[in-house]
Amino acid sequence: MNKKINPSDKFIIALDGMDRNSVLKLIEKIPDLIWVKVGLELFVSEGPDILFLLRDQGKKIFLDLKFHDIPTTVSKACFFAAQTGAEFISLHACAGEKALKMANDSAREGAAKVNLPAPTLLGITVLTSWTQESFSKDLLVSQSINERVNHLASLAYTSGIGGCVCSPKEVQFLREIHPEPFELVTPGIRPLGSSLDDQARVSDVSKALEMGASKLVIGRAITNSNDPGTIFKSFCKKVVK
Ligand code: C5P
């Protein structure tokens, strides 16, 4: 049976570099928008109220605070984050199996406490801004980025969390190992020929979708545009139904 895909559901707009008012203006310009991502910039500047505001606007939220700490701290952060109604919450997979398992249990408990469905936790693998060269030089890691991503995605999978964040370049091999419903969420999306900004391992929308990404996180390609509504529609058209 073919699942009916709503193209808008495939895209998560990263609300970086904005304040409350510009967020509201952006949302108004993209009526079909379902998912938004609140990352460190917006969360630290506006505080948790921004999450309730976005929920009131009917948006689904990816709370991308990339938790990384000892297991107790990560899991307590997930307990409270789950109470905000965020449906995706990120944490670094390299926090380790114990932290991931505890976080998953705590997120479920936190959501249940306020009668919300449990959120999906996403393990960050290797940030899309790392190149192989900087990764080896800065971190003294001898593994290739692909090996590292593969390992961390498996850790996320065996820990029982719902998915991971990886670059579009890694989606294809991860999808072969971890079929749906394991979420493969990919930032690092750039229209062909556009500026990379601080991203290194990028791909365009069609390629990332073709490789098997569950959802695409798109920030500056939309938020820096003069006509975000039209760009969003053009991305949606690339989703093969
Ligand atoms: O503007 P751009 O499309 O590059 O935004 C990408 C977003 O995805 C940013 O909010 C960034 O924090 C986030 N992200 C990322 N790489 C990851 C995880 C999240 O770029 N591995």
Side-chain angles (χ1 to χ4, degrees), residues 63-190:
L63 181 59
D64 183 26
L65 301 181
K66 301 186 176 70
F67 299 132
H68 188 189
D69 211 309
I70 57 170
T72 304
T73 304
V74 168
S75 71
K76 290 215 169 123
C78 286
F79 178 81
F80 292 113
Q83 294 181 31
T84 65
E87 295 183 43
F88 282 169
I89 296 170
S90 66
L91 70 174
H92 277 273
C94 58
E97 187 172 333
K98 186 174 175 193
L100 297 177
K101 283 184 170 162
M102 281 173 64
N104 215 18
D105 292 343
S106 297
R108 283 197 190 124
E109 284 162 28
K113 192 173 173 204
V114 291
N115 294 319
L116 285 170
T120 298
L121 298 193
L122 299 175
I124 304 287
T125 56
V126 175
L127 296 174
T128 40
S129 47
W130 286 107
T131 60
Q132 184 60 56
E133 195 191 2
S134 61
F135 187 67
S136 312
K137 185 168 148 278
D138 295 2
L139 302 183
L140 285 182
V141 175
S142 56
Q143 276 176 321
S144 69
I145 288 185
N146 277 1
E147 283 171 319
R148 181 77 167 180
V149 169
N150 190 11
H151 175 69
L152 292 173
S154 294
L155 191 65
Y157 187 80
T158 51
S159 305
I161 69 169
C164 71
V165 181
C166 59
S167 100
K169 304 276 182 212
E170 293 115 28
V171 165
Q172 191 172 24
F173 75 80
L174 289 182
R175 189 45 94 207
E176 279 167 17
I177 306 169
H178 306 296
E180 285 175 336
F182 192 70
E183 305 274 353
L184 294 177
V185 174
T186 65
I189 302 297
R190 292 290 178 275

Side-chain angles (χ1 to χ4, degrees), residues 5-8 10-11 189-192 203-211 216 218 230-241:
I5 303 171
N6 177 351
S8 310
K10 281 277 185 188
F11 300 98
I189 302 297
R190 292 290 178 275
L192 287 176
S203 188
D204 73 331
V205 168
S206 303
K207 196 88 192 143
L209 289 169
E210 193 188 310
M211 295 298 145
L216 277 51
I218 305 182
T230 304
I231 301 235
F232 186 78
K233 274 202 188 116
S234 73
F235 288 159
C236 289
K237 284 199 185 121
K238 295 178 196 279
V239 178
V240 181
K241 290 193 205 174

